[in-house]
Amino acid sequence: MPAPIRLRELIRTIRTARTQAEEREMIQKECAAIRSSFREEDNTYRCRNVAKLLYMHMLGYPAHFGQLECLKLIASQKFTDKRIGYLGAMLLLDERQDVHLLMTNCIKNDLNHSTQYVQGLALCTLGCMGSSEMCRDLAGEVEKLLKTSNSYLRKKAALCAVHVIRKVPELMEMFLPATKNLLNEKNHGVLHTSVVLLTEMCERSPDMLAHFRKVRQLSSSQLVPQLVRILKNLIMSGYSPEHDVSGISDPFLQVRILRLLRILGRNDDDSSEAMNDILAQVATNTETSKNVGNAILYETVLTIMDIKSESGLRVLAINILGRFLLNNDKNIRYVALTSLLKTVQTDHNAVQRHRSTIVDCLKDLDVSIKRRAMELSFALVNGNNVRGMMKELLYFLDSCEPEFKADCASGIFLAAEKYAPSKRWHIDTIMRVLTTAGSYVRDDAVPNLIQLITNSVEMHAYTVQRLYKAILGDYSQQPLVQVASWCIGEYGDLLVSGQCEEEEPIQVTEDEVLDILESVLISNMSASVTRGYALTAIMKLSTRFTCTVNRIKKVVSIYGSSIDVELQQRAVEYNALFKKYDHMRPALLERMPVMEKVTTNGPTEIVQTNGETEPAVLETKPPPSGLQPASQANDLLDLLGGSDITPVIPTAPTNKPASAGGELLDLLGDLNLTGSPVSAPAPQIAQPPFLLDGLSSQPLFNDIAAGIPSITAYNKNGLKIDFTFERSNTNPSVTVITIQASNSTELDMTDFVFQAAVPKTFQLQLLSPSSSVIPAFNSGTITQVIKVLNPQKQQLRMRIKLTYNHKGSAMQDLAEVNNFPPQSWQ
Amino acid sequence: QIHFILLFSRQGKLRLQKWYTTLPDKEKKKIIREIVQIVLSRNQKTSSFVDWKDLKLVYKRYASLYFCCAIEDQDNELLTLEVVHRYVELLDRYFGNVCELDIIFNFEKAYFILDEFIVGGEVQETSKRSPVKAIEDSDMLQETVEEYMNKPAF
């Protein structure tokens, strides 16, 4: 068996592959060779093979079959093997692998190895990817090494301890004693890692934090002064080639110390006091020409802003950030904006001073910088600078990337709402946003805007004119079109009458307005919701326009057969409004009142006080004939108190008035963007199929029936109901009752509904009443026909329910009719 | 804490991947693809920082190699640039005028050097000399010299 090819050889070979397929072939061949070599348990070349495997793994090929081999390498006595073995473990044996824990024993042994480089490998591996169980098992070893005098090992042990604490926070306590004299080291590696360890402990545990603030360290000084001293030495010390970076000594350590100081000084006056001087010193003396100096300044600023520093220091910090903003280096500008964003709430005035620089950053080419500048700009808008800031932000909205537009638009709306200097300015700003970024505006902005516009009563004419002009040219931006449609629907009359005061009124005819609304309806670009807005707007104009009502009627009726169910339903209902309920149309389509604003974010809740009539939400669609009568019947079943009653099935029209307080369209439902449908009763006659068919062609009356005496079934509160009877000459089981309702009071009774229920053995049919209004002073009656089928010839009993409106209140009464003359049923 | 470090070429070929958090293999591959794409599409005029998920990416190009670190929100980006720079300096000190080919043919050394500089996502040694000396000493401990020469030619 020839020796497996060398690692570099393999790399060279693979790199000659010209295609992905060629490479894959080479890899597969080599993997096969490696596999058989593993099977042979070859100790000599295991290391070489695993190394090759790791290379192929980096190229993206699977290498899991090498996992156990890594374990074997780690367990080997040869350093070369261990080196590759631990590398392989870190790449292939993370804690999600089953065999991960098998490493524990090897690592434990190696932590106690005589060669520090072996110990180092073990510490590194444990510190990079040890699982929680492994950490628990080996924490003791780590703690031991934390106390060694070997700085090479000590620094690694410190970071290992950090990892253990991250994985198993409960173990933090056990490392506390060892931290006592960590900072007495001269070795920078140990110092650095010790500071990291202390930082981790303080961040995780308030108790630890308190402990470190107070307790006396080994060399009789507290932690903060000790850190301050170390930092000072770094700054003041001479050139140290080993740690120097562009004239600054060990910037890494300086930054870590500053960060730990931040944690110690936060919310603690004493600690903050102790570090004031050194912070001022670092802030003023650090060289700013290179990135490294700025890195330190940056950390210093963050610390100053986070602790209880005196105001002079804070101003100094903000000014540093201000200088950063002017730096040519975009990285510096970037961190400056990030920091300013964090401090703008607490140090608002100081940040305001740099407003113009921040605004300039809106024009930066870097996307992240632009975003931060935008956020910061919004945070800085106030009553004084709103006009200028909005101008910049609107310009930004115009030219920025699409990913910003939605946030920017929302931000502008919010700021405009808070600080608008005048209503006209506010409307103009909204218009500007809608026209420049109309398609990016969030959906919930539309109802908010509409509410805003409604409330600016004196601006209605101006608003609708501007909106009209805006969509004339382009009606593709949905939110814009929605707002415009709604406004045109509401204020179309102002538009055509040319009443605008704010600017030159335009000449628009009713037809032109309808043209644009119809274009919106037809356009492929219009969303379903938008079409709904347009259709409703057209409908509203039927009460505001004078010459084009027929055109409107036509449009509405066309959409009665639209494929879009939402549109179809609206059109059908509006149609009904024209036909059957024309008398209600003006009231329903009246101008909206000023709306109460409930929330700032969601669609506004509309107060339902439109006109004098009370809108009621009806069933969305006219139910199939069986349904509504059934619900009526259920009510009546109660009347007769038992199951011996058959449901009454009156004809549908008589039901409709009963189901609602009034038959009114809920136009206010328009503003709910889920498109809850506006409903209206659809006239419908439903004939119960079974009853009285036999009678339809037969004369109902005969002479005998004419002789049946009539009765007064009900007489109360001025309402009198008389029953007159007729018997069918063809079907002796049928009795036809004609009721007559009269009103002796001085006021009309409106919305009158008569309902009846009979015992189970009977069947009943109610035909349509003549009207629903009983005029006062007995000046008229409502008549209604009831047909009763009484096949068993039982005594006729009936319970009736009356509902009507009288003197402004709803009246209701139940009564039993027992005085049927025998001739009516025998 | 650094969450991971990636080295890749201008064509998007991975040269080194060091993960300091545990993730499934599939997830790692996805992340690498995503980040390589983000970084390679950035132009010259942008900053070296990218907001990515809940982390910050700090990247810098040295000749034909991109060095990319993912750090946490509270970490100092400017200092991370210094960390990256220090790593390149260490590689340079070890290999002598380091170039991408060195990293390709001696990837395991690149890992060893990194592991002497950073452990568990934190810097362990701030001296310029120390990490390199440790590697050189370790090299001397190796039993088979033939294939692990100090600075192999290719």
mmCIF file of all heavy atoms in Angstrom, chain B residues 82-100:
data_model
loop_
_atom_site.group_PDB
_atom_site.id
_atom_site.type_symbol
_atom_site.label_atom_id
_atom_site.label_comp_id
_atom_site.label_asym_id
_atom_site.label_seq_id
_atom_site.Cartn_x
_atom_site.Cartn_y
_atom_site.Cartn_z
ATOM 1 N N GLU B 82 -8.837 46.680 14.104
ATOM 2 C CA GLU B 82 -7.467 46.521 14.588
ATOM 3 C C GLU B 82 -7.153 45.062 14.853
ATOM 4 O O GLU B 82 -6.023 44.607 14.646
ATOM 5 C CB GLU B 82 -7.261 47.348 15.863
ATOM 6 C CG GLU B 82 -7.346 48.851 15.670
ATOM 7 C CD GLU B 82 -6.310 49.369 14.684
ATOM 8 O OE1 GLU B 82 -5.152 48.901 14.706
ATOM 9 O OE2 GLU B 82 -6.668 50.255 13.872
ATOM 10 N N VAL B 83 -8.148 44.338 15.346
ATOM 11 C CA VAL B 83 -7.954 42.897 15.596
ATOM 12 C C VAL B 83 -7.634 42.187 14.276
ATOM 13 O O VAL B 83 -6.687 41.393 14.194
ATOM 14 C CB VAL B 83 -9.212 42.280 16.250
ATOM 15 C CG1 VAL B 83 -9.126 40.765 16.263
ATOM 16 C CG2 VAL B 83 -9.403 42.811 17.655
ATOM 17 N N VAL B 84 -8.418 42.483 13.255
ATOM 18 C CA VAL B 84 -8.186 41.872 11.946
ATOM 19 C C VAL B 84 -6.790 42.224 11.456
ATOM 20 O O VAL B 84 -6.046 41.367 10.973
ATOM 21 C CB VAL B 84 -9.252 42.356 10.930
ATOM 22 C CG1 VAL B 84 -8.885 41.946 9.521
ATOM 23 C CG2 VAL B 84 -10.619 41.801 11.299
ATOM 24 N N HIS B 85 -6.444 43.477 11.605
ATOM 25 C CA HIS B 85 -5.140 43.915 11.138
ATOM 26 C C HIS B 85 -4.016 43.198 11.867
ATOM 27 O O HIS B 85 -3.017 42.784 11.253
ATOM 28 C CB HIS B 85 -5.000 45.429 11.311
ATOM 29 C CG HIS B 85 -3.808 45.990 10.625
ATOM 30 N ND1 HIS B 85 -3.764 46.173 9.258
ATOM 31 C CD2 HIS B 85 -2.607 46.370 11.109
ATOM 32 C CE1 HIS B 85 -2.577 46.662 8.928
ATOM 33 N NE2 HIS B 85 -1.849 46.795 10.032
ATOM 34 N N ARG B 86 -4.202 43.028 13.170
ATOM 35 C CA ARG B 86 -3.164 42.350 13.956
ATOM 36 C C ARG B 86 -2.995 40.914 13.469
ATOM 37 O O ARG B 86 -1.888 40.397 13.375
ATOM 38 C CB ARG B 86 -3.537 42.382 15.437
ATOM 39 C CG ARG B 86 -2.622 41.587 16.359
ATOM 40 C CD ARG B 86 -1.168 42.001 16.276
ATOM 41 N NE ARG B 86 -0.932 43.355 16.719
ATOM 42 C CZ ARG B 86 -0.705 43.710 17.984
ATOM 43 N NH1 ARG B 86 -0.699 42.800 18.927
ATOM 44 N NH2 ARG B 86 -0.483 44.975 18.283
ATOM 45 N N TYR B 87 -4.082 40.252 13.156
ATOM 46 C CA TYR B 87 -4.016 38.872 12.672
ATOM 47 C C TYR B 87 -3.204 38.804 11.382
ATOM 48 O O TYR B 87 -2.335 37.945 11.208
ATOM 49 C CB TYR B 87 -5.420 38.289 12.478
ATOM 50 C CG TYR B 87 -5.446 36.864 11.982
ATOM 51 C CD1 TYR B 87 -4.651 35.881 12.561
ATOM 52 C CD2 TYR B 87 -6.276 36.487 10.924
ATOM 53 C CE1 TYR B 87 -4.668 34.569 12.105
ATOM 54 C CE2 TYR B 87 -6.308 35.172 10.468
ATOM 55 C CZ TYR B 87 -5.498 34.226 11.059
ATOM 56 O OH TYR B 87 -5.521 32.931 10.605
ATOM 57 N N VAL B 88 -3.481 39.741 10.492
ATOM 58 C CA VAL B 88 -2.731 39.768 9.232
ATOM 59 C C VAL B 88 -1.246 39.996 9.514
ATOM 60 O O VAL B 88 -0.378 39.373 8.897
ATOM 61 C CB VAL B 88 -3.286 40.868 8.300
ATOM 62 C CG1 VAL B 88 -2.446 40.996 7.045
ATOM 63 C CG2 VAL B 88 -4.731 40.553 7.930
ATOM 64 N N GLU B 89 -0.967 40.861 10.474
ATOM 65 C CA GLU B 89 0.430 41.117 10.838
ATOM 66 C C GLU B 89 1.104 39.860 11.369
ATOM 67 O O GLU B 89 2.278 39.586 11.062
ATOM 68 C CB GLU B 89 0.503 42.206 11.912
ATOM 69 C CG GLU B 89 0.360 43.605 11.358
ATOM 70 C CD GLU B 89 0.486 44.669 12.441
ATOM 71 O OE1 GLU B 89 0.146 44.369 13.611
ATOM 72 O OE2 GLU B 89 0.908 45.776 12.124
ATOM 73 N N LEU B 90 0.374 39.108 12.173
ATOM 74 C CA LEU B 90 0.936 37.869 12.726
ATOM 75 C C LEU B 90 1.231 36.869 11.608
ATOM 76 O O LEU B 90 2.283 36.224 11.598
ATOM 77 C CB LEU B 90 -0.023 37.247 13.744
ATOM 78 C CG LEU B 90 -0.260 38.027 15.041
ATOM 79 C CD1 LEU B 90 -1.371 37.406 15.854
ATOM 80 C CD2 LEU B 90 1.026 38.108 15.866
ATOM 81 N N LEU B 91 0.298 36.757 10.680
ATOM 82 C CA LEU B 91 0.501 35.852 9.550
ATOM 83 C C LEU B 91 1.737 36.289 8.768
ATOM 84 O O LEU B 91 2.554 35.481 8.331
ATOM 85 C CB LEU B 91 -0.730 35.858 8.631
ATOM 86 C CG LEU B 91 -2.002 35.210 9.166
ATOM 87 C CD1 LEU B 91 -3.192 35.541 8.256
ATOM 88 C CD2 LEU B 91 -1.829 33.695 9.262
ATOM 89 N N ASP B 92 1.817 37.588 8.604
ATOM 90 C CA ASP B 92 2.931 38.136 7.845
ATOM 91 C C ASP B 92 4.256 37.868 8.539
ATOM 92 O O ASP B 92 5.263 37.546 7.907
ATOM 93 C CB ASP B 92 2.719 39.644 7.664
ATOM 94 C CG ASP B 92 3.645 40.207 6.614
ATOM 95 O OD1 ASP B 92 3.532 39.776 5.448
ATOM 96 O OD2 ASP B 92 4.477 41.057 6.958
ATOM 97 N N ARG B 93 4.237 38.007 9.846
ATOM 98 C CA ARG B 93 5.464 37.769 10.616
ATOM 99 C C ARG B 93 5.888 36.305 10.507
ATOM 100 O O ARG B 93 7.054 35.987 10.420
ATOM 101 C CB ARG B 93 5.233 38.145 12.075
ATOM 102 C CG ARG B 93 6.498 38.203 12.918
ATOM 103 C CD ARG B 93 6.142 38.570 14.349
ATOM 104 N NE ARG B 93 6.050 40.028 14.511
ATOM 105 C CZ ARG B 93 6.965 40.761 15.148
ATOM 106 N NH1 ARG B 93 8.011 40.182 15.677
ATOM 107 N NH2 ARG B 93 6.803 42.054 15.276
ATOM 108 N N TYR B 94 4.930 35.417 10.546
ATOM 109 C CA TYR B 94 5.246 33.983 10.490
ATOM 110 C C TYR B 94 5.677 33.552 9.088
ATOM 111 O O TYR B 94 6.705 32.904 8.911
ATOM 112 C CB TYR B 94 4.038 33.161 10.938
ATOM 113 C CG TYR B 94 4.265 31.675 10.904
ATOM 114 C CD1 TYR B 94 5.010 31.038 11.897
ATOM 115 C CD2 TYR B 94 3.761 30.894 9.864
ATOM 116 C CE1 TYR B 94 5.236 29.665 11.869
ATOM 117 C CE2 TYR B 94 3.991 29.522 9.828
ATOM 118 C CZ TYR B 94 4.723 28.910 10.826
ATOM 119 O OH TYR B 94 4.964 27.552 10.789
ATOM 120 N N PHE B 95 4.865 33.918 8.103
ATOM 121 C CA PHE B 95 5.140 33.437 6.746
ATOM 122 C C PHE B 95 6.145 34.307 6.003
ATOM 123 O O PHE B 95 6.726 33.879 5.009
ATOM 124 C CB PHE B 95 3.843 33.394 5.927
ATOM 125 C CG PHE B 95 2.938 32.259 6.295
ATOM 126 C CD1 PHE B 95 1.773 32.486 7.003
ATOM 127 C CD2 PHE B 95 3.254 30.970 5.919
ATOM 128 C CE1 PHE B 95 0.923 31.431 7.331
ATOM 129 C CE2 PHE B 95 2.415 29.908 6.247
ATOM 130 C CZ PHE B 95 1.248 30.140 6.957
ATOM 131 N N GLY B 96 6.286 35.513 6.430
ATOM 132 C CA GLY B 96 7.155 36.449 5.698
ATOM 133 C C GLY B 96 6.472 36.868 4.419
ATOM 134 O O GLY B 96 6.322 36.066 3.499
ATOM 135 N N ASN B 97 6.031 38.112 4.342
ATOM 136 C CA ASN B 97 5.305 38.617 3.172
ATOM 137 C C ASN B 97 4.166 37.684 2.771
ATOM 138 O O ASN B 97 4.108 37.172 1.658
ATOM 139 C CB ASN B 97 6.246 38.788 1.976
ATOM 140 C CG ASN B 97 7.137 39.983 2.168
ATOM 141 O OD1 ASN B 97 6.741 40.969 2.796
ATOM 142 N ND2 ASN B 97 8.340 39.893 1.627
ATOM 143 N N VAL B 98 3.301 37.462 3.667
ATOM 144 C CA VAL B 98 2.217 36.498 3.458
ATOM 145 C C VAL B 98 1.338 36.878 2.279
ATOM 146 O O VAL B 98 1.086 38.065 2.019
ATOM 147 C CB VAL B 98 1.378 36.382 4.754
ATOM 148 C CG1 VAL B 98 0.592 37.678 5.003
ATOM 149 C CG2 VAL B 98 0.433 35.196 4.676
ATOM 150 N N CYS B 99 0.921 35.845 1.535
ATOM 151 C CA CYS B 99 -0.028 36.066 0.443
ATOM 152 C C CYS B 99 -1.090 34.962 0.517
ATOM 153 O O CYS B 99 -0.983 34.058 1.331
ATOM 154 C CB CYS B 99 0.673 36.021 -0.915
ATOM 155 S SG CYS B 99 1.408 34.408 -1.235
ATOM 156 N N GLU B 100 -2.077 35.041 -0.349
ATOM 157 C CA GLU B 100 -3.189 34.097 -0.248
ATOM 158 C C GLU B 100 -2.731 32.644 -0.388
ATOM 159 O O GLU B 100 -3.240 31.743 0.286
ATOM 160 C CB GLU B 100 -4.258 34.424 -1.300
ATOM 161 C CG GLU B 100 -5.553 33.643 -1.077
ATOM 162 C CD GLU B 100 -6.590 33.889 -2.175
ATOM 163 O OE1 GLU B 100 -6.434 34.854 -2.946
ATOM 164 O OE2 GLU B 100 -7.554 33.115 -2.249
#
